[in-house]
Amino acid sequence: RKYGPALDLAVDVLARAGANYTVTPIPNISLGLYPLSTYTACCHAVYMGLVDLCVGAFWVTAQRLLMCDYGSDFFQDNMVLVQARHEGSSHESWQELLFRVFRPFTPLLWVTIVCV
């Protein structure tokens, strides 16, 4: 049995609407094409008309947007980067404090993130 808050919500909404539905696994053809991501595989199954919709907490990606539409968000996950305080760091200037958030990654990685 599949489970999770997204599926529970979808099943409840469909039941209240009186809709007939069947929960099915992601088709093997889609899993074969996208073995690293069941989420992308599910979007592919929608694109191919093998299933009507996918239920889950999906990250919207450019690749997935080409295959299927997304509904409204009902959950948002905020990512936070944390860096440990080192001894003597309380005497940093405001510029050093401002740019501290960029330290976890190298400048080249930041350029890559911005360009992508």
Side-chain angles (χ1 to χ4, degrees), residues 2-3 13 16 25 28 32 35 40-41 45 67 71 100 103 110 113:
K2 299 290 183 181
Y3 60 91
V13 168
R16 289 175 188 237
N28 287 334
T40 304
M67 293 188 266
R100 183 191 304 172
R103 288 186 196 162
W110 280 114
I113 290 170

Side-chain angles (χ1 to χ4, degrees), residues 57-100:
F58 286 69
W59 283 15
V60 178
T61 67
Q63 182 184 31
R64 294 176 192 158
L65 276 174
L66 292 173
M67 293 188 266
C68 63
D69 295 321
Y70 283 82
S72 298
D73 294 341
F74 64 90
F75 175 78
Q76 184 174 351
D77 187 18
N78 296 317
M79 184 183 297
V80 178
L81 296 176
V82 178
Q83 182 176 356
R85 176 180 284 270
H86 301 288
E87 290 202 29
S89 63
S90 61
H91 301 290
E92 293 176 308
S93 69
W94 68 270
Q95 293 96 342
E96 291 172 319
L97 290 172
L98 179 67
F99 290 104
R100 183 191 304 172

